Amino acid sequence: MTPFGARLRMLRRQRRVTLKDLATHLQVSSAYLSALEHGHRGRPSAGLVHQVNEFFGLIWDEAEALSELAKLSQPKVTLDTGGLTPEATALANRLAESIHRLTPQTVAAMHGLLDREMPAGEKPRLRRAAGR
């Protein structure tokens, strides 16, 4: 499941909206929305995210948060480590091989480490994507 998909499912369930009803309103197929929720489809378009925001009445921070989740919801990520150190390349490969075995606590700790390494003033990436 992607961060966007998890949040979309949570919004639907909280507001008791069926997949079919949402799909009809957004003029997409139920299968497409299901694939988005389960992480079988890539990042949704900005237009679709806007439609979802309007459907659920999300404004300001909530709408921006959903847009950020969409940006973080590419289920098949490619990393280019060309020009980086051998250690960085090894880390990228190791993460690719072992990410499915990491506990939620370990993932959160890794997010924290990356957040601490960001230059001052840069917005940290969302950690608890679907949560709220």
Side-chain angles (χ1 to χ4, degrees), residues 2-5 7-8 11 43-54 58-74 123 125-126 129 132:
T2 65
F4 178 84
R7 179 74 174 130
L8 181 61
L11 285 167
R43 174 181 307 140
S45 70
L48 182 70
V49 175
H50 179 73
Q51 286 180 286
V52 170
N53 281 331
E54 283 188 341
L58 304 181
I59 58 170
W60 307 107
D61 291 345
E62 285 185 305
E64 184 180 334
L66 190 64
S67 294
E68 286 298 312
L69 290 178
K71 292 175 188 173
L72 297 173
S73 292
Q74 185 64 304
K123 186 177 178 182
R125 292 298 189 168
L126 301 171
R132 298 213 110 193

Side-chain angles (χ1 to χ4, degrees), residues 16 19 22 40 109 119:
R16 292 182 162 79
L19 201 60
L22 182 59
H40 299 297

Side-chain angles (χ1 to χ4, degrees), residues 13-114:
R13 287 185 174 168
Q14 283 177 342
R15 306 206 182 162
R16 292 182 162 79
V17 175
T18 67
L19 201 60
K20 183 179 179 183
D21 289 342
L22 182 59
T24 299
H25 181 81
L26 299 177
Q27 297 181 339
V28 298
S29 71
S30 298
Y32 173 72
L33 283 184
S34 178
L36 265 180
E37 285 189 1
H38 288 92
H40 299 297
R41 292 297 297 235
R43 174 181 307 140
S45 70
L48 182 70
V49 175
H50 179 73
Q51 286 180 286
V52 170
N53 281 331
E54 283 188 341
F55 180 86
F56 288 112
L58 304 181
I59 58 170
W60 307 107
D61 291 345
E62 285 185 305
E64 184 180 334
L66 190 64
S67 294
E68 286 298 312
L69 290 178
K71 292 175 188 173
L72 297 173
S73 292
Q74 185 64 304
K76 296 179 182 176
V77 178
T78 301
L79 294 174
D80 180 2
T81 61
L84 299 180
T85 65
E87 292 81 11
T89 299
L91 176 61
N93 281 277
R94 189 170 178 198
L95 185 57
E97 291 174 1
S98 61
I99 196 165
H100 65 281
R101 293 190 303 264
L102 299 178
T103 65
Q105 295 82 8
T106 300
V107 171
M110 292 174 80
H111 273 289
L113 178 63
L114 292 172

